[in-house]
């Protein structure tokens, strides 16, 4: 695989050096950006001396190498070291950047696998996986430590030295450990010159070390009361037994815990982790970023001494500190969003992915990996079990747990169909919006929902209202000429934000003023249509005067800590009605919530996405799960224009298996995942003809390659993407389906590695895409 580099000076080399070059100790490197190949460099003797570990070339460290014709020095990742036979002499490694390996051999294997699977150069994967705070060693600095060698200490009295140097020797002789250069100078009352003079004579030794600039307190330093494991019910015990069996087998296995909301899944996997920790290993728990609330984290703090929480707002310094503590084996449980799957645990015992169906486990920038797939690969390599937990598993996961899947690929399935304490599932009712619109006043809240809310207020219960759109009005229109307020840079409607009095594009954040008259026909009657959370809030305030209300969406949650504050107030009963976007749909556990209202269940149903029904089912089921969590009971009202839609009917009946039974056959008929592999190419650029011409020729090349390789491939497009313009770029996409992923990868990699992008056109390839817009 490694490409031999071209050397400019080959012909000038003396004979003897050519001979020597035939067998050399070489480092194979990959570049974090730019060149995509693997390159070999000779390792000079001084960088291959194990007595000096700080300057040892080793896989997993970054090194400096001369690159290209100009021999520009670049930093590259060393991925292998070994003896190479070569006829051409290799250029030499210039320097070692990292004093220790950043990436373990296991992580090198995993990132290489990712590089192949996601068609991303290995160096780019490494750069995406090693946090920048770790690469930059944030929060530490290098210091020079000075010490006195024993042979010198034994004869200090015999030394004839100038007074300043003598003072330095005396300071060092009186110190039990090496001192920093600065401290020595301070104590001896001199500059660093006498120390350097002594070093040159070999009378003192210096070494460079990296120290933490400030040893921070552990986390927030708050103490948390320890909780004991709960006595498990029958379903939980059966599930834990199955997980324990996997843990004891010493091999990799994936277990799917399918349990309704509130069935006690979390308690089960916490007890599994306790077992893993008891024999000295570490566990990684992945949760969606928005579920990383103090409540979630608190449940781990109650049970484990040493946890590290990795979320996207960590400073570089904290991230680096966690990384080092994890790598040193000081952490028992790593809890984090998708990138925590790369945590450098030395003895991994278990990986858990909670809410495994969540789309946030897919990364939408390079490397475009899915944390679930990476987790499967990592646990397979490290021979440990993987637990996936969800009330609404993704169909990809669900299918893998079915008997028709070959045994060696099959996930084990544990079902927990009942809530803890025998609590019933909440009663779910639909409200047909077609009837509502014909009968009553226009508002976001139907009459049945309003009545239920009044009753809940009277009974001292709390209400959650879900509306998955932020802003006030979601579109502006002129009724006389049909002008619509669209973003000037994107092909989407602008949303009116009343609090700031501007129109905002939710795709590119462009703001513009609200027109007083229609820009096309100058009519002064512009209509504000569509509901966002701001407008819903205004309606709720007007209708339920005196009630305490708060709103949770991306606009109100900008300030750090606002998320926690809003939820704390709600938990303490200070808020009676909490309304918001999907942020409030997931994972919250508040016993006093006796009513959940879904303002519009159909919002996702008509998107051009084969997962539209699945998304709708997930959202309705998850938000319904926020109620009925105590003996006060709970009910759910789902407003919809399509009460007979299969996904909505199944969600109303809390019937996941029914949903899967309905949905899987149509996936199969269409060859969509889990029955086939999907890939997508998106091209964008300022010139529409260029973008279009490029994607068309790429489409032809892909089709031709499929024919040459004798692989059946279905294609969709090329066509304008659903978001046809974004930030002034035109966007086109092309989708491919093949019976299995290897086939698809074979076709796409053949073409992808050959394409030449025309000037002004950018393109990405997304294998197993989640976002199809
Ligand atoms: P899930 O993860 O399935 O939503 P949780 O593990 O959060 O369910 O459990 C729901 C609630 O029941 C939590 O408040 C939890 O503390 C409690 N719980 C879980 N298991 C038990 C048990 N065996 N006995 C008593 N309470 C339990
Ligand atoms: Zn008009
Ligand atoms: Zn825009």
């Amino acid at each position: 695989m490694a490409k031999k580099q071209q050397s400019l000076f080959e012909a000038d080399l003396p004979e003897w050096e050519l001979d020597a070059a035939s067998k050399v100790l070489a480092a194979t490197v990959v570049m974090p950006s730019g060149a995509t190949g693997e390159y070999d460099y000779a390792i000079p003797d001084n960088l291959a001396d194990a007595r000096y570990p700080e300057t040892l070339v080793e896989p997993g460290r970054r090194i400096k190498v001369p690159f290209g014709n100009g021999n520009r020095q670049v930093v590259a990742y060393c991925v292998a070291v070994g003896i190479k036979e070569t006829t051409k002499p290799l250029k030499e490694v210039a320097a070692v950047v990292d004093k220790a390996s950043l990436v373990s051999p296991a992580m090198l294997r995993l990132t290489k696998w990712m590089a192949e699977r996601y068609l991303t150069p290995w160096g780019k994967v490494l750069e995406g996986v090693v946090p920048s705070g770790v690469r930059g060693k944030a929060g530490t600095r290098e210091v020079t430590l000075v010490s006195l060698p024993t042979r010198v200490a034994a004869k200090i009295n015999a030394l004839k030295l100038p007074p300043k140097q003598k003072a330095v020797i005396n300071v060092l002789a009186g110190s039990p450990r090496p001192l920093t250069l600065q401290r020595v100078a301070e104590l001896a009352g001199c500059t660093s010159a006498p120390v350097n003079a002594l070093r040159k004579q070999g009378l003192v030794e210096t070494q460079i070390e990296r120290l933490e600039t400030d040893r921070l307190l552990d986390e927030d330093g708050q103490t948390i009361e320890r909780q004991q494991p709960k006595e498990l019910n029958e379903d939980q015990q059966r599930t834990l037994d199955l997980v324990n069996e996997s843990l004891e087998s010493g091999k990799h296995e994936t277990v799917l815990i399918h349990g309704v909301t509130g069935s006690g899944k979390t308690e089960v996997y916490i007890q599994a982790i306790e077992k893993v920790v008891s024999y000295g290993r570490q566990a990684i728990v992945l949760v969606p970023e928005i579920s990383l609330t103090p409540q979630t984290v608190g449940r781990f703090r109650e049970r484990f001494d040493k946890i590290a929480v990795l979320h996207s707002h960590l400073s570089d310094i904290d991230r680096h500190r966690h990384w080092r503590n994890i790598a040193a084996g000081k952490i028992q449980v790593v809890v984090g969003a998708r990138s925590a799957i790369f945590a450098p645990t030395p003895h991994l015992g278990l990986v858990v992915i909670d809410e495994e169906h969540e789309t946030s486990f897919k990364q939408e920038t390079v490397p475009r990996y899915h944390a679930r797939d990476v987790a499967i690969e990592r646990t397979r390599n490290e021979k440990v079990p993987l637990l996936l937990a969800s009330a609404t598993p993704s169909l990809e996961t669900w299918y893998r747990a079915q008997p028709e899947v070959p045994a060696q690929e099959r996930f084990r399935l544990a079902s927990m169909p009942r809530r803890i304490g025998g609590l019933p599932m909440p009663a779910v009712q639909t409200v047909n919006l077609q009837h509502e619109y014909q009968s009553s006043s226009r508002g976001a809240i139907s009459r049945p929902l309003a009545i239920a809310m009044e009753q809940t207020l009277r009974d001292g219960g709390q209400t959650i209202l879900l509306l998955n759109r932020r802003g006030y009005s979601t579109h502006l229109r002129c009724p006389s000429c049909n002008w619509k307020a669209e973003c000037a840079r994107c092909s989407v409607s602008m949303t009116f934000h009343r609090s700031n009095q501007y129109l905002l594009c939710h795709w590119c954040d462009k703001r513009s003023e609200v027109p007083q008259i229609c820009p096309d026909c100058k009519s002064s009657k512009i209509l504000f249509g569509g509901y966002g959370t701001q407008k819903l809030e205004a309606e709720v305030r007007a209708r339920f005067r005196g009630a305490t209300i708060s709103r949770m969406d991306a606009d109100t949650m900008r300030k750090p800590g606002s998320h926690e504050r809003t939820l704390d107030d709600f938990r303490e009963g200070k808020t009676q009605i909490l309304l918001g976007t999907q942020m409030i749909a997931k994972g919250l556990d508040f016993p006093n919530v006796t009513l959940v209202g879904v303002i519009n269940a159909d919002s996702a149903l008509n998107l051009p996405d084969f997962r539209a029904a699945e998304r709708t089912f997930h959202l309705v089921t998850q938000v319904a799960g926020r109620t009925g969590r105590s003996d006060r009971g709970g009910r759910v009202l789902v407003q919809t224009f399509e009460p007979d839609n299969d996904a909505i009917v199944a969600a109303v009946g809390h019937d996941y298996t029914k949903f899967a039974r309905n949905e899987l056959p149509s996936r199969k008929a269409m060859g969509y995942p889990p029955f086939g592999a999907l890939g997508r190419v998106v091209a964008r650029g300022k010139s529409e003809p260029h973008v279009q011409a490029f994607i068309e020729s790429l489409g032809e090349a892909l089709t031709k390659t499929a024919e040459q390789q004798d692989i059946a491939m279905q294609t969709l497009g090329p066509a304008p993407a659903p978001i046809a313009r974004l930030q002034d770029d035109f966007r086109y996409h092309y989708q491919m389906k093949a019976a299995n992923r290897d086939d698809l990868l074979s076709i796409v990699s053949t073409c992808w590695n050959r394409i030449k992008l025309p000037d002004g056109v950018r393109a990405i390839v997304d294998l197993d895409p989640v976002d199809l817009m």
Side-chain angles (χ1 to χ4, degrees):
M1 184 69 180
K3 288 180 192 151
K4 303 235 169 64
Q5 44 167 328
Q6 303 278 321
S7 168
L8 278 178
F9 308 106
E10 249 162 82
D12 304 338
L13 279 174
E15 204 88 81
W16 56 270
E17 210 171 321
L18 272 179
D19 278 345
S22 65
K23 247 188 181 177
V24 292
L25 182 64
T28 305
V29 303
V30 295
M31 308 294 168
S33 60
T36 59
E38 292 175 20
Y39 304 87
D40 290 338
Y41 286 87
I43 305 176
D45 289 347
N46 65 322
L47 301 183
D49 191 337
R51 285 174 303 170
Y52 303 101
E54 295 198 342
T55 53
L56 192 63
V57 175
E58 193 185 35
R61 297 195 198 194
R62 287 166 309 159
I63 59 181
K64 279 193 184 149
V65 294
F67 191 69
N69 291 343
N71 280 334
R72 190 166 47 92
Q73 279 218 353
V74 298
V75 174
Y77 286 88
C78 174
V79 293
V81 167
I83 302 289
K84 292 263 165 160
E85 286 213 46
T86 161
T87 48
K88 294 175 188 173
L90 299 175
K91 292 184 203 172
E92 278 197 347
V93 176
V96 175
V97 176
D98 301 310
K99 298 206 163 65
S101 204
L102 293 181
V103 189
S104 67
M107 201 54 65
L108 282 174
R109 225 179 316 142
L110 187 70
T111 48
K112 175 154 203 201
W113 172 87
M114 288 172 69
E116 283 160 14
R117 183 177 173 92
Y118 301 109
L119 282 179
T120 306
W122 193 358
K124 263 197 167 172
V125 175
L126 284 166
E127 193 79 348
V129 157
V130 180
S132 64
V134 174
R135 279 183 265 129
K137 303 180 181 62
T140 63
R141 69 192 160 89
E142 277 190 346
V143 293
T144 306
L145 292 177
V146 189
S147 59
L148 204 60
T150 330
R151 59 183 160 75
V152 181
K155 54 164 188 179
I156 31 181
N157 293 331
L159 291 172
K160 292 263 176 306
L161 292 168
K164 289 245 166 97
Q165 293 187 16
K166 186 81 189 162
V168 169
I169 295 282
N170 286 339
V171 163
L172 288 173
S175 165
R177 57 182 164 265
L179 296 171
T180 63
L181 182 55
Q182 214 185 353
R183 185 80 182 133
V184 173
E186 202 178 289
L187 291 174
C190 64
T191 63
S192 59
V195 183
N196 288 331
L198 285 165
R199 194 171 51 106
K200 284 202 190 103
Q201 301 166 64
L203 293 175
V204 304
E205 279 174 356
T206 57
Q207 79 203 74
I208 293 175
E209 253 189 35
R210 199 161 259 288
L211 298 181
E212 282 180 45
T213 38
D214 54 347
R215 281 170 211 273
L216 293 160
L217 293 174
D218 236 7
E219 284 303 317
D220 31 25
Q222 64 190 8
T223 48
I224 288 223
E225 208 178 311
R226 274 302 269 265
Q227 299 285 325
Q228 292 305 306
K230 293 192 164 62
E231 184 96 33
L232 299 184
N233 70 20
E234 225 175 276
D235 286 344
Q236 287 176 311
Q237 191 59 53
R238 193 172 21 80
T239 305
L240 184 63
D241 288 346
L242 193 131
V243 174
N244 282 339
E245 218 177 277
S246 282
L247 283 171
E248 280 152 19
S249 75
K251 56 181 206 263
H252 162 75
E253 222 170 22
T254 300
V255 179
L256 167 61
I257 304 180
H258 174 224
V260 295
T261 50
S263 58
K265 300 182 286 298
T266 311
E267 181 62 30
V268 171
Y269 71 69
I270 285 182
Q271 293 200 15
I273 296 171
E274 282 172 337
K275 187 178 171 97
V276 166
V277 166
S278 76
Y279 51 75
R281 290 195 172 216
Q282 301 92 40
I284 298 175
V285 183
L286 302 186
V287 301
E289 177 88 36
I290 53 169
S291 308
L292 271 175
T293 57
Q295 196 183 12
T296 315
V297 174
R299 283 186 76 175
F300 290 93
R301 289 202 197 286
E302 281 167 8
R303 303 286 278 273
F304 300 97
D305 294 326
K306 295 166 205 137
I307 77 163
V309 181
L310 304 179
H311 53 76
S312 62
H313 310 302
L314 280 182
S315 67
D316 276 358
I317 293 177
D318 283 343
R319 197 173 290 278
H320 184 208
R321 184 168 52 91
H322 281 317
W323 182 276
R324 271 178 296 140
N325 286 339
I326 294 166
K330 292 182 192 161
I331 296 295
Q332 296 165 326
V333 188
V334 180
V335 185
R338 69 176 171 258
S339 64
I341 192 57
F342 304 112
T345 50
H347 296 290
L348 186 63
L350 177 69
V351 175
V352 179
I353 305 185
D354 201 1
E355 312 284 0
E356 71 82 34
H357 61 279
E358 279 286 318
T359 54
S360 66
F361 289 121
K362 170 79 196 301
Q363 169 140 313
E364 296 296 356
T365 54
V366 170
R368 288 170 209 279
Y369 66 90
H370 199 299
R372 192 203 303 132
D373 295 333
V374 176
I376 292 174
E377 183 64 15
R378 178 164 183 189
T379 51
R380 198 207 315 269
N381 284 337
E382 303 193 28
K383 299 191 175 58
V384 299
L386 168 65
L387 294 189
L388 305 175
S390 175
T392 54
S394 64
L395 287 175
E396 284 88 337
T397 295
W398 178 250
Y399 179 68
R400 288 281 298 270
Q402 301 309 305
E404 66 228 64
V405 172
Q408 67 276 18
E409 284 170 32
R410 198 185 309 143
F411 295 168
R412 296 183 79 179
L413 177 63
S415 295
M416 297 172 53
R418 286 166 286 262
R419 282 189 157 179
I420 289 287
L423 291 174
M425 295 305 287
V428 185
Q429 243 176 292
T430 50
V431 177
N432 190 335
L433 286 176
Q434 256 154 15
H435 300 163
E436 281 299 311
Y437 268 102
Q438 281 152 16
S439 63
S440 68
S441 66
R442 293 253 181 135
I445 297 170
S446 65
R447 199 172 358 188
L449 180 55
I451 293 169
M453 287 174 70
E454 271 155 25
Q455 193 168 7
T456 305
L457 285 172
R458 266 203 309 278
D459 297 347
Q462 288 170 294
T463 299
I464 284 181
L465 292 181
L466 173 77
L467 175 60
N468 217 359
R469 288 268 179 91
R470 64 191 176 100
Y472 190 84
S473 302
T474 52
H475 49 265
L476 258 69
R477 190 170 67 84
C478 166
S480 30
C481 77
N482 220 15
W483 166 87
K484 289 190 183 75
E486 275 207 348
C487 175
R489 313 170 62 198
C490 313
S491 56
V492 296
S493 325
M494 299 285 273
T495 300
F496 171 54
H497 282 245
R498 196 166 73 165
S499 43
N500 313 73
Q501 289 293 325
Y502 56 52
L503 298 176
L504 180 71
C505 171
H506 287 178
W507 287 81
C508 75
D509 277 336
K510 186 185 162 59
R511 289 165 194 191
S512 55
E513 271 178 39
V514 183
Q516 299 304 308
I517 54 168
C518 170
D520 283 359
C521 73
K522 316 290 177 222
S523 152
S524 57
K525 289 198 201 90
I526 291 180
L527 291 181
F528 288 65
Y531 267 90
T533 43
Q534 291 182 2
K535 193 165 173 181
L536 177 65
E537 182 185 356
E539 182 178 333
V540 173
R541 287 196 190 281
R543 275 186 120 151
F544 303 93
R545 289 183 192 283
T548 46
I549 296 158
S550 75
R551 187 179 102 220
M552 226 167 118
D553 56 27
D555 298 307
T556 57
M557 295 297 125
R558 286 200 203 285
K559 287 201 202 91
S562 46
H563 198 258
E564 288 82 61
R565 247 184 335 271
T566 307
L567 291 181
D568 283 347
D569 286 353
F570 194 57
R571 183 174 305 112
E572 287 158 22
K574 291 184 195 155
T575 313
Q576 291 165 298
I577 302 170
L578 177 66
L579 63 94
T581 54
Q582 56 161 345
M583 266 182 206
I584 60 169
K586 317 283 166 89
L588 308 182
D589 186 4
F590 301 130
N592 198 33
V593 174
T594 51
L595 175 65
V596 164
V598 180
I599 299 299
N600 184 355
D602 317 331
S603 55
L605 215 44
N606 300 312
L607 294 177
D609 183 334
F610 73 96
R611 292 191 182 93
E614 186 176 2
R615 298 260 163 81
T616 303
F617 178 81
H618 287 169
L619 193 61
V620 174
T621 309
Q622 294 289 341
V623 72
R626 298 312 112 218
T627 181
R629 297 180 81 101
S630 75
D631 51 12
R632 301 199 54 182
R635 66 166 170 151
V636 184
L637 289 181
V638 177
Q639 304 190 149
T640 168
F641 285 99
E642 297 182 50
D644 299 327
N645 180 287
D646 283 345
I648 294 194
V649 171
V652 165
H654 304 289
D655 198 341
Y656 177 82
T657 50
K658 177 177 181 175
F659 163 73
R661 264 201 319 276
N662 285 337
E663 188 67 10
L664 283 171
S666 61
R667 294 274 180 97
K668 192 167 191 170
M670 301 291 288
Y672 275 121
F675 298 98
L678 184 68
R680 180 182 191 229
V681 175
V682 184
R684 59 188 284 183
K686 301 270 178 274
S687 152
E688 187 168 17
H690 287 176
V691 174
Q692 206 176 351
F694 165 75
I695 196 125
E696 271 165 13
S697 67
L698 178 67
E700 278 162 26
L702 285 161
T703 312
K704 204 152 120 209
T705 309
E707 276 164 18
Q708 280 163 357
Q709 299 186 357
D710 204 15
I711 295 170
M713 182 178 82
Q714 283 175 283
T715 59
L716 270 166
I723 304 292
R725 277 185 67 221
L726 190 64
Q727 296 177 318
D728 277 333
D729 278 344
F730 291 91
R731 296 171 84 237
Y732 276 73
H733 72 163
Y734 184 77
Q735 290 181 33
M736 308 137 282
K737 285 183 281 186
N740 65 63
R741 206 179 183 287
D742 289 345
D743 285 353
L744 185 69
L745 186 63
S746 160
I747 299 168
V748 182
S749 61
T750 307
C751 290
W752 195 251
N753 292 330
R754 284 192 212 137
I755 60 163
K756 279 251 174 314
L757 281 172
D759 278 350
V761 176
R762 286 174 292 154
I764 60 126
V765 59
D766 193 359
L767 296 173
D768 315 319
V770 167
D771 177 3
L772 296 175
M773 302 303 277

